Amino acid sequence: MKQLRVIGIGAGNPDYITMQAVKALNSVDVFFLMDKGSSKDALIDLRREICERYITHDAWRFVEARSPERDRGDVDYTSAVEELNLSKQQTFERLINEEMSDGQCAGFLVWGDPALYDSTVRILQDILASGRCVFEFEVIPGITSVQALAAQHKVPLNRIGRSIEITTGRRLAAGQVSDADSVVVMLDAQDSYHQVADQETQIYWGAYLGTPDEILISGKLKDVADEIERVRKAARLANGWIMDTYLLRKP
């Protein structure tokens, strides 16, 4: 039986790797890496650094595959994501069928945690349901950018007895947010914090969390929103990519 490990590798700092993840890394024969283009080579380099640091044997290898891209034109978002995941499913099936033998173990190195805004587990479940591949898989949790954000700003995610919502920039911009006291926003490409009505709201923003390029800004929206937008645009231009997360807390 083929074995797969979906390993959460944390939010950018190799020290975020858990002991469970280290054990899983050392059980893998081949790691499947999804190449997202030269602008995101740093994401591949970090995965290589993690493997070289923590694996104690030489019987492992990398196999890279071009990652499909989502259609970002004037299309329905949900449909575009479904098409993207179908393309990824086809790529995963090819890798599993062609790049590993029965009895071997393959690993997917997932940024952050596999359960939070990542489709690897969902895609593997769909592959098993299709019956075109036979394998068993295990999921190893990782430290998310949400946890790293709170740690770096030295704040708790929640107030005592109050709720938290984790949402996307797209939903925040559309006003689709609950009345949660604290809201964590991910995947915001449109600076949607500008849409928050109460500009007294506190924001804790972080980009490239856990990496040498880490940037942190906090304050009331009315005081720092424009600064965040400016810094974010400059960082994206300089690096070719950006991963950022922020916490909004009602006054």
Side-chain angles (χ1 to χ4, degrees):
M1 178 73 73
K2 296 179 179 180
Q3 302 288 329
L4 300 181
R5 304 278 188 271
V6 184
I7 305 171
I9 59 171
N13 187 337
D15 288 342
Y16 288 164
I17 295 293
T18 66
M19 293 304 299
Q20 184 186 15
V22 170
K23 292 177 182 178
L25 290 170
N26 278 276
S27 72
V28 172
D29 300 297
V30 55
F31 293 95
F32 296 145
L33 303 182
M34 304 302 289
D35 183 1
K36 296 186 177 181
S38 58
S39 66
K40 295 187 177 179
D41 282 348
L43 304 183
I44 296 292
D45 292 342
L46 176 67
R47 287 167 167 83
R48 294 183 183 278
E49 178 184 349
I50 286 171
C51 289
E52 291 167 359
R53 177 185 294 197
Y54 292 111
I55 298 178
T56 58
H57 60 82
D58 296 324
W60 57 275
R61 61 191 175 95
F62 288 120
V63 172
E64 293 189 28
R66 183 70 177 179
S67 180
E69 295 187 10
R70 175 168 63 84
D71 186 351
R72 299 181 184 275
D74 187 17
V75 297
D76 177 72
Y77 174 75
T78 301
S79 298
V81 171
E82 289 175 352
E83 288 295 326
L84 171 65
N85 286 341
L86 181 59
S87 296
K88 285 185 177 181
Q89 179 177 330
Q90 294 167 349
T91 300
F92 285 11
E93 287 181 11
R94 178 181 61 79
L95 292 171
I96 294 167
N97 285 327
E98 298 179 4
E99 298 292 345
M100 58 185 304
S101 304
D102 192 45
Q104 284 192 319
C105 180
F108 290 93
L109 304 177
V110 174
W111 197 270
D113 182 89
L116 186 61
Y117 288 113
D118 183 84
S119 292
T120 303
V121 171
R122 187 179 298 109
I123 291 170
L124 292 179
Q125 290 172 335
D126 288 343
I127 292 173
L128 285 175
S130 74
R132 289 188 292 272
C133 291
V134 178
F135 56 84
E136 295 177 344
F137 76 94
E138 179 183 2
V139 179
I140 292 85
I143 292 176
T144 69
S145 62
V146 178
Q147 296 162 279
L149 178 76
Q152 296 303 81
H153 278 290
K154 302 180 180 67
V155 295
L157 283 172
N158 67 295
R159 286 179 171 146
I160 296 174
R162 304 301 293 270
S163 61
I164 305 170
E165 178 172 352
I166 300 176
T167 190
T168 66
R170 181 183 298 273
R171 292 182 63 84
L172 180 65
Q176 298 171 331
V177 181
S178 74
D179 60 353
D181 185 66
S182 301
V183 177
V184 175
V185 183
M186 307 178 71
L187 306 174
D188 183 6
Q190 305 299 326
D191 303 298
S192 302
Y193 44 84
H194 283 299
Q195 308 300 317
V196 176
D198 189 349
Q199 289 293 293
E200 294 290 327
T201 297
Q202 190 83 8
I203 183 170
Y204 300 91
W205 177 84
Y208 311 109
L209 291 161
T211 75
D213 295 321
E214 180 178 271
I215 310 169
L216 300 172
I217 298 175
S218 64
K220 293 181 179 180
L221 279 172
K222 66 178 184 180
D223 297 326
V224 301
D226 290 342
E227 178 188 2
I228 291 172
E229 182 177 4
R230 175 180 55 79
V231 169
R232 188 180 187 281
K233 287 179 178 177
R236 185 180 184 117
L237 182 63
N239 293 290
W241 63 281
I242 190 166
M243 284 188 179
D244 59 331
T245 306
Y246 55 90
L247 168 66
L248 296 173
R249 176 151 293 154
K250 295 179 180 180

